[in-house]
Amino acid sequence: MKDSVKKHYLASITDKFVRGQLGRREFLRAAGKLGLGAGALGMGFGNRPFGAFSSARAAEELTPNPEILKWLADVGKPFAGTTLKLATESTPPSNAINGQLKKYFEEATGIKVEIEVLPLEQVLQKLTLDVASNLGTYDLYYIDQSWAASFSQDVFDPREQYSAKADLAMPNYNLDDFLPALVDGIAKYEDRWVGVPYDIPIFIMIYRKDIYDKLSLKAPETIEELYTNSKIITDEMGPNVYGTTGQMKSGHYSLECDWTAWLWGHGGSIFGPDGTFTGNDEKGAAALEYWTKLKATMPPGVDGWTWDGQGQSVAQGVAASMLSWGEFFPYFDDPTQTKVSGLCEVAVPPRAISLRTVKETGYGEIPGVGHQGGSSLAVSRYSKSPDAAWIFMQWATCADTQALITTLGGGTGPTRASVYDDPRVLAQARVGAGTTRHLPVVRETIAKHMGSEPDLPEWAQLSSDTIPVSLGKYFAGSYGSPKEALDDIAKQVGEVLKG
Amino acid sequence: MSVTQVKRIAISDSPWPWLLPLVSLLVVFTIYPLIYNIWLSFHEFMPRKRALVFVGFANWVQLWHDTRFWGALGVTFVYFTIALACEIVLGMAVALLLDAELPGFGALRAVLSMTLVIPPAIAGMMFLLMEDPQFGVLTYLLNMLGLLDKATPILATSSLALAGVLVAEIWQWTPFMVLIFMAGLRSLPPEPYEAAMIDGASSLQMFRRLTLPMMSRVIAVAALLRGIDLFRVFDYVFVMTSGGPGTSTYSLSLYAWQQTFSFLKWGYGATLSLVSLAIVMILANLFIRAFKVRW
């Protein structure tokens, strides 16, 4: 084969793979013909390393429950020929559905599903345009928890849909199976459900057991212990290995995510009950001082990393621990992708020094060191095929599909309680690609340590610009003290809220 | 339309039938968007109302109080000035060198032009990796030479980040200047140089008294083309620093993009774009007059 033909062929199959028109296995087979190994997948598809599949089992071994397929065939018949559209971020559930599972839905129902995978800010832009114009371009909305307030009136409440359309209701769909903490933290705005919890990336403690054992350390149980452990490792093993790492790129949402974990962990909160910014109070300043101290134990590149660089720093053996998204873990455990397979262990996030209650915060903020960045799936009120979309949504978020997503895509924590106990999920709780051995910790973190950002329309701007830009300035040395930086943030937040 | 009418148009002296397709394209893709942008700058999209609301001059007034805007404008000017100066000086130096026609220089010229086919976002990614404090080759070399402390991340340090971005910009676009300057050098008449050599002028004197004056218009055209592009810098800062750390590399285009697409402030984003357009037009016109640029 000529080199140019080879490259053209590779580009074509890669394009199909990224669009979800080609399964991983078929892609590997095709790539293998070109003399490319599994390493081709290490090129970093998707926005997040943990968005890529790290599956130990072939898709053919995992098929949907026949009873659900039969229900789909019966209920979906009147809608055959319909096309549904969903714009979503590159997340494990969306990637698994797009790449591996939607074919079962399409075959059973005759309904075509088009999934656009976009960067998060573009998803927001598309949804906003859709609701502003009432065009109904997208039948299903992927709603980040921080947008729940903005879109709450533009989607159907799934509880109403389930009871109002008995003929379309999936048997045993069980809305009560969704973890209550996720319903509160992700999907609920005031008394409405803005879709159902669909995706739950959440901060857990991931650490290198081999390094911790070598230095006779134990998994950090408190925030102070995390600092002490990290300092010991950096002092002993730096500059080859650093104690911990972060996602601290100036101006990026990831920096804000790290900030909230430390802020909440020190008993602070972003807002007070009256809706004013309180991140600059005594506890907020203590949190920033702690974080500054902790940063000294991190690799120098941390100021330029989002979650991608942070994950790679652990995967490449540069950092010995991180408090970050649990979705990284199956990727770390995949020996074809990283150097640390089997060397990492998980623990719940270090205990907070003190914690504010929801009543002491504003805009529904829930303090907790386990920062969650989840999203909901909902049917748009402007959809031209809301019934077909509702059938798809039930299928995509039912326990059986979630178990398949978890087993195929790995990483993301299921949003339903029953899926954590599903035999297919439990069977993969061993060292290796697509592991689920971190999920008990994820489940405990959701139940006991989860922190959730406030819900207000201005939050997108505050969390992706105002706060992380100023924090970036602080770490670059533009402010005289933590307090000065936080007071400046308070002033800017006040201006944004004033409009 | 009858055949006779078509024939009449085909032999007509009027330019309009021939210009019409081009004019239509201009109207659709330039005039209309510009007018729409101006209209948009007097409105703002209100997410809660899901509608564009007339706000009068509010967006224009906001500019004056927006420290981020002034910061972005300052960064853009610094970026523009340094990049343009470096690209002109380096471009001229390399063009003079390659004009010598030594063996292998033909291939070198071809290699130089290769940087131009790389998309700026990709070049930005390359330099992002090269300037990584852990794995970056550029950082490694600077460490070796004792010019940079190993613990200093170039792109995450306020005082260095802009320089880090400028390196990518200058690397990619200096060859563009080289190509233009070489074309200019090759079109210079040989007679003045022969006369100067007979008079015993040195190379430096010939460069200052002959080459530079004769090349001034070529340099001006190159500076104008590149300058307009530099003022719109987006790709490198977006990929390499996202405007950080803090706001130390925030360019005007990045700020306008962010306001428009991230925060859905379409009116303010349009205002920022119009300001950027106005500044470029004023500067370009001043430049054309000052340097008597002829197209």
Side-chain angles (χ1 to χ4, degrees), chain B residues 56-98:
Chain B
F57 284 92
N59 288 323
W60 293 92
V61 173
Q62 191 184 335
L63 280 177
W64 297 105
H65 309 292
D66 185 355
T67 50
R68 288 282 288 277
F69 162 69
W70 292 107
L73 192 61
V75 167
T76 307
F77 267 112
V78 171
Y79 187 90
F80 164 86
T81 312
I82 296 176
L84 196 59
C86 290
E87 285 170 21
I88 289 175
V89 172
L90 282 172
M92 181 57 83
V94 177
L96 287 167
L97 191 71
L98 290 181

Side-chain angles (χ1 to χ4, degrees), chain A residues 250-251 465-466 468-474 476 478-479 488 492, chain B residues 66-76 157-158 161-162 237 241-252 254-255 258:
Chain A
S250 173
D465 183 67
T466 313
V469 164
S470 299
L471 288 173
K473 276 166 84 171
Y474 165 72
S478 301
Y479 293 105
D488 188 37
Q492 292 179 58
Chain B
D66 185 355
T67 50
R68 288 282 288 277
F69 162 69
W70 292 107
L73 192 61
V75 167
T76 307
T157 306
S158 290
L162 197 61
V237 285
T241 62
S242 306
T247 49
S248 56
T249 56
Y250 239 100
S251 70
L252 199 50
L254 183 66
Y255 190 46
Q258 186 201 40

